[in-house]
Structure formats: structure tokens, C-alpha cells
Amino acid sequence: MVRCVARELVEWSGVDVQRLVDLLVERALGEIGNYYYYTLLRMHLVGVKGDALRRVVDDAREEDRNHFEALVPRIYELGGRLPAIFAGELGGLGALRNLPAEADVPQIIPILLKATEESVRAYTQLCSATAGKDNRTYNLVLAILHEEIAHQVWLLEFLGRDASDAAACPRNISPFVTPYLRPPQSAHLEPSPRRA
């Protein structure tokens, strides 16, 4: 069996690594699940209020995808794996599973707020479990926590705005998580420059 040094070091610092990996996998599945449900939701948002909310949903959707992409490498670094298939419903904490079939903005906002609250709690728990013990995981989940809190703020601000306000939320996608995203691998490697 191949030794996982990252896992050993985190265990040595006193973290229950299997529990940590389980929590990270749960969050990764939750993020990809949220991406899925946000994708469904955005297809139903129409009208002035729906268009304004769609901008908030689009940004949160993209950030949740980025959160998934940032979590997966850390899961594998710690010797964990994602499930090969989803068992049952799409994973995660699941407040978004309660979205109505037809998008009614007043009904949707509390559901979206509950989903962000669940995420904030989960990432706060991960921060508490890794603070001072596993700096790499701590920094990653803290970055995601900042963005989840921003999602909550966007929704709360949306509630207090005129629906025609074009600046429903900022368009700076994943400002905290971007450093943790790996650049896509190019299918075509450029030849190295010839030496003279």
C-alpha cells in the first residue's frame, strides 16, 4: 500500500483524518448537488424579480462548482475518494432539494438562505476541526466559508433591493477559492523552446 504522507501528518497533529475526509466528501457532494439544483432553478426564474434573482443564483452556482473543484484534490491528497456513483439523491446537506417545481421568488429566497446557512455551519465546523492542526485544509475551507457567507449576504441584500437593480451581487466569481483551483491541463503541450 502506498503511504500517504499528507494523511500521516494530519493524523499526527491530532485530527481524525477519516472523519475529516468524510466531512470533505459530504461537502464536495453538497457543492455539486447545489450546482445541480441551482442549474434547475435558473431555468425557471422569469420576470423582473426572477431575472434579478437569476444573477445571484448564477454567481452562487459557479462558485459552488468551484468549491467542488477545489475540495476534490484535498480529499485525494488525504487518501480519500469520491463515490463512483451517487447513492440515492444528489449528495450534500440538501436544503435546495425542497425547491418548488415552479419558481416563485418569495418561496425560493428562504430555501436559498437555508441552504447557505447549512453551508456556513458545515464549513465553520470544518474550520474548527482543522484550525492549528491542518493548515492546508483549514485555509481551503476558510476560503470557501468566506464565499458561502457572501452568498448569504447577496440573498439578504436581494431581499432589500428593488428587483430592477442590476447590481444584485458582485460578478467577481470565487475571489477566495481561485488560488485553490488547478488550471485545466492543455491537451496539446507546447514544445519546449530549442536551445541554441
Side-chain angles (χ1 to χ4, degrees):
M1 183 171 181
V2 177
R3 219 173 107 210
C4 183
V5 176
R7 185 180 182 107
E8 285 179 13
L9 292 172
V10 173
E11 283 174 347
W12 179 78
S13 71
V15 174
D16 178 348
V17 178
Q18 190 53 55
R19 176 73 179 133
L20 175 60
V21 167
D22 291 345
L23 290 171
L24 291 172
V25 168
E26 179 182 294
R27 286 312 315 141
L29 296 177
E31 295 293 351
I32 203 66
N34 287 351
Y35 177 82
Y36 173 82
Y37 288 111
Y38 279 138
T39 300
L40 294 178
L41 174 61
R42 72 182 302 279
M43 295 300 142
H44 296 284
L45 290 171
V46 294
V48 175
K49 281 193 167 224
D51 286 344
L53 182 57
R54 185 181 302 123
R55 287 189 292 275
V56 174
V57 166
D58 281 346
D59 286 358
R61 176 178 166 262
E62 286 305 310
E63 285 192 349
D64 283 352
R65 183 184 59 81
N66 288 343
H67 298 168
F68 172 78
E69 294 286 346
L71 286 167
V72 170
R74 187 58 181 157
I75 291 167
Y76 280 76
E77 289 167 5
L78 293 172
R81 297 282 180 269
L82 291 177
I85 57 171
F86 284 112
E89 289 194 38
L90 208 50
L93 298 174
L96 291 178
R97 288 187 218 155
N98 297 322
L99 287 171
E102 295 300 318
D104 177 13
V105 172
Q107 281 183 299
I108 289 170
I109 296 291
I111 295 168
L112 297 178
L113 280 169
K114 183 169 174 30
T116 59
E117 288 169 7
E118 289 176 358
S119 292
V120 167
R121 282 190 189 96
Y123 285 111
T124 299
Q125 177 186 8
L126 280 164
C127 283
S128 296
T130 57
K133 298 176 183 176
D134 175 4
N135 293 332
R136 183 159 165 72
T137 303
Y138 174 79
N139 289 333
L140 170 61
V141 296
L142 181 61
I144 295 172
L145 177 60
H146 285 302
E147 292 180 3
E148 292 296 344
I149 290 170
H151 295 176
Q152 192 174 28
V153 170
W154 295 346
L155 292 166
L156 291 170
E157 286 179 352
F158 178 83
L159 285 173
R161 290 178 187 261
D162 181 341
S164 63
D165 187 354
C169 63
R171 295 301 301 189
N172 184 9
I173 305 296
S174 292
F176 295 98
V177 173
T178 299
Y180 297 94
L181 298 174
R182 294 183 176 175
Q185 299 296 321
S186 174
H188 303 287
L189 299 175
E190 294 182 23
S192 55
R194 293 187 178 180
R195 295 179 191 238

